[in-house]
Amino acid sequence: MGGDYDEMWRGLGLDLPAHERLLELLGGYYREVYLSQADRPRAMAYLDAVMADIHGGRVRELQAARAEGRKVVGTFCVFVPEELVLAAGAACVGLCAGAEVGFAEAERLLPRNTCPLVKSFFGFRLARLCPFMAACDLLVGETTCDGKKKAYELLADLAPTYVMEVPQAKRSADRALFREEVRRLAEALEALTGRRITAEGLARAVRLVNRRRRALQRLARLRGADPAPISGRDALLVNQVAFYDDPERFTGAVEALCDELEARVAAGRGVAPAGTPRLLVAGAPMAVPNWKVPHVVEGAGAVIVGEESCIGERHTRDLVDEAAADLDALLDALVDRYLRIDCACFTPNDDRLDHVVEMVRRTRADGVVHFALQFCQPYAIEAARVRDRLDREGIPMLRIETDYSMEDVDALATRIEAFVETLG
Amino acid sequence: MGRRGVDAVGIDVGSRTVEVVAVAAGAVRVRRRAETAFDYLDQVRRMLSDLDFRSALATGYGRHLVAKELGIGAVTEIRAHAAGAAVLRPGARAVLDIGGQDTKAMTLGPGGRVLRFEMNDRCAAGTGRFFEVTAQSLGCPLEDFGALALSGADTVAISSMCTVFAETEVVALRSRGVPAADVARALVASVAGRAAAMLRRVGAAGEVVFTGGVARNRAMAEVLAGVAGLPVWVPPEPDFTGALGAALLAARPRPGKVDPVPPRDEAARNGPPGTRCGEPGG
Ligand code: SF4
Ligand code: SF4
């Protein structure tokens, strides 16, 4: 269906032949990972449609909004408060990138041993393959890990980029700093859109984003059933699409999916037989189309029942307090909520250990696959603390570190199969 | 030639060699090995052609394809080596397997259950392949490499685990006039150091059962014991441990023999879009 969008893509400066090949490969991989699954929930049809049209329909919506004077803001991390973007009248898209695309170009700027997430967003940009990034009027980065922090300095030469500071600890001085950064971002967004962020506007945005979070929380809870009503691949996809779909429509689709899953659970129907080994994946984000680990894990005869990850529960666990009355109180509520995020960039980060254990218990997982992207120090190093804690709780853990390439899938599969065998 | 009736067969399709072990009444009846052929499926069929068996399990990197084609089950090398080691050395609590292209360390619980394991990923650093290549650059046949290393002294160190870089180091040491025996010893020590680190990561304490083809190298066990500070035990036919374990697991009465994991097809290997599409000129 590329044809109808060519005009738009050309207008966004994409490299059309290369982009065409990308979509073909993506389509093939999607069929292999997703459409090959047996007994998928019918409501996943919405996600299939979104994926089939991944660079089309939603980009067209964003372009139409831009034609009416709305702005589009791209983000790379769950620390950037989406509510502010929406309250300023802009649309927000998450740009995390999960494909080994344009790495040759990216490596002209970045060291080879850079985390694939960072390399990927550069690759998409430099190889002119991401219509979402091209449609953004502003990219908002953050000072989380060093790789990203320094990469945004380079990105600023390629696209309008704004960087907000995220502290590395959660003491009162850090909170004050983040509070100030949230205010500064609000100003920058107002300057971009020419619209004031009002208490009513922000409260509305808070309610909208909370609704989406609640829908995703409901999905997370349903996965606690045995047999699991939905595969980990499908649930990951839902969490991935959450970052760029229209929030209102997406929330409706997730609620519909949950209704169907509820009926499945009541009927004792699942994607894998009851008693199938259940695993929690914990760690770094897996962005579209990085389905490598769930594909291998579920190919090894296990089912994934939760993602302790930014594309997963780190994004949906906490709600913003809706009771706040004025703008200042709303901004405080945002700060409180965002500082609860337990990213490995923080020190200390003990809350994360509690959350992993809590998720294992709630999802009734038999073990944890700790996932770090290659060259990601925060998660790779924190894995040792997660292991210690899980050891004490008697929860088995397998630690893996991998990137977006396919060269290690066989070795990865062997380790994951062996881990699954140890659970039996 | 008559066909031989046995209870169960284990087939270990490794990257360098294929081993077949057949057991009957709890004892090993047949042991066969061959270098892994390109068409290893056909090769496995030939290796089994005169055996009548009730059940079989495949292990090793070719396990899924063999399992699918023969309609049998599959287990990972990790489980197979654990099962083999637990029978060869009752009460074994730690196993190190160094095969042609990978290294695994594991700790075992009662009954040979795997408690924790580590495995190298991606490259063949510090495996059988490493010795094949470096022995060659020392001009020493692989069979004699262990004896050569045993006669050497600890005068030099090899710092690289990468097969290609280590070969360069060997060439440099040789040109400095370091005796071949000392270089061989250094190569063994570097692999042993890496294996010992893996054993530490899985929490091995007490005797280590050392399996896989590299365990045939007599120097390895000796140096490893020193580096790891743990006693090391090598079974008589260490490279058959995986096939033996698979055969023993196959001999157990267990339901649902068929491998639940389909062999990875090409699409999975090609993976997400990629590698090609962002390249210059694309
Ligand atoms: S892992 Fe940390 S830096 Fe990365 S997206 Fe999540 S919160 Fe942001
Ligand atoms: S995965 Fe790790 S290295 Fe990569 S961007 Fe996130 S925190 Fe940074």
Side-chain angles (χ1 to χ4, degrees), chain B residues 50-197:
Chain B
D50 63 333
L51 298 175
D52 277 326
F53 49 89
R54 282 204 306 274
S55 62
L57 277 175
T59 187
Y61 101 107
R63 65 191 178 283
H64 292 308
L65 183 65
V66 168
K68 179 178 171 232
E69 293 300 323
L70 302 186
I72 61 177
V75 289
T76 63
E77 301 91 290
I78 293 155
R79 178 135 189 256
H81 276 268
V87 164
L88 293 168
R89 193 69 163 168
R93 284 292 180 268
V95 180
L96 173 72
D97 162 50
I98 307 186
Q101 279 189 8
D102 50 44
T103 303
K104 310 161 201 88
M106 59 205 107
T107 43
L108 310 187
R113 238 195 96 174
V114 177
L115 297 179
R116 183 175 277 189
F117 66 90
E118 284 272 337
M119 186 182 158
N120 65 317
D121 42 11
R122 281 168 203 271
C123 91
T127 63
R129 183 73 193 142
F130 177 86
F131 286 122
E132 278 176 33
V133 170
T134 51
Q136 201 182 15
S137 49
L138 275 180
C140 169
L142 196 57
E143 310 82 78
D144 303 336
F145 188 80
L148 180 67
L150 278 179
S151 70
D154 287 313
T155 57
V156 289
I158 296 280
S159 56
S160 183
M161 264 292 112
C162 161
T163 309
V164 176
F165 289 149
E167 198 182 358
T168 315
E169 280 188 67
V170 169
V171 172
L173 290 172
R174 204 177 49 189
S175 68
R176 270 170 40 198
V178 177
D182 293 7
V183 178
R185 181 140 189 122
L187 287 165
V188 166
S190 74
V191 172
R194 187 179 130 107

Side-chain angles (χ1 to χ4, degrees), chain A residues 1-14 16 19-20 55 59-60 63 131:
Chain A
M1 55 39 236
D4 3 343
Y5 295 121
D6 278 359
E7 194 70 11
M8 173 178 82
W9 288 332
R10 196 169 303 118
L12 287 167
L14 298 195
L16 288 190
H19 182 248
E20 187 64 40
H55 283 179
V59 178
R60 175 161 287 168
Q63 286 296 84

Side-chain angles (χ1 to χ4, degrees), chain A residues 76-79 96 117 142 144-145 148 283-285 310 314 341 343-345 379:
Chain A
F76 299 95
C77 168
V78 296
F79 262 104
C96 267
L117 204 83
E142 48 1 270
T144 44
C145 70
K148 278 174 142 186
C310 285
R314 203 166 294 126
I341 297 172
C343 171
C345 294
Y379 283 94

Side-chain angles (χ1 to χ4, degrees), chain A residues 98 129 186 299 345-346 369:
Chain A
L129 288 167
C345 294
F346 278 84
V369 173

Side-chain angles (χ1 to χ4, degrees), chain A residues 153-221:
Chain A
E153 293 174 10
L154 302 176
L155 192 64
D157 292 336
L158 305 170
T161 304
Y162 173 97
V163 177
M164 80 182 288
E165 183 163 354
V166 173
Q168 306 199 346
K170 296 178 179 176
R171 290 178 293 255
S172 61
D174 305 301
R175 191 187 181 284
L177 178 141
F178 190 60
R179 175 67 168 80
E180 172 58 16
E181 283 297 295
V182 167
R183 191 200 55 77
R184 199 171 67 89
L185 175 65
E187 264 176 31
L189 292 167
E190 288 176 339
L192 174 75
T193 63
R195 272 179 55 175
R196 283 206 69 77
I197 295 177
T198 62
E200 298 73 54
L202 185 52
R204 212 174 319 116
V206 163
R207 285 194 301 272
L208 174 64
V209 179
N210 273 351
R211 263 206 306 285
R212 188 186 61 207
R213 290 188 185 117
R214 282 196 198 92
L216 290 164
Q217 289 173 356
R218 184 178 166 212
L219 172 64
R221 278 194 305 273

Side-chain angles (χ1 to χ4, degrees), chain A residues 105 391 406-407 417 421-422, chain B residues 63 76 113 116 122 278:
Chain A
E105 278 95 331
D391 269 352
M406 288 292 128
E407 64 185 37
E417 284 168 38
E421 283 171 349
T422 66
Chain B
R63 65 191 178 283
T76 63
R113 238 195 96 174
R116 183 175 277 189
R122 281 168 203 271

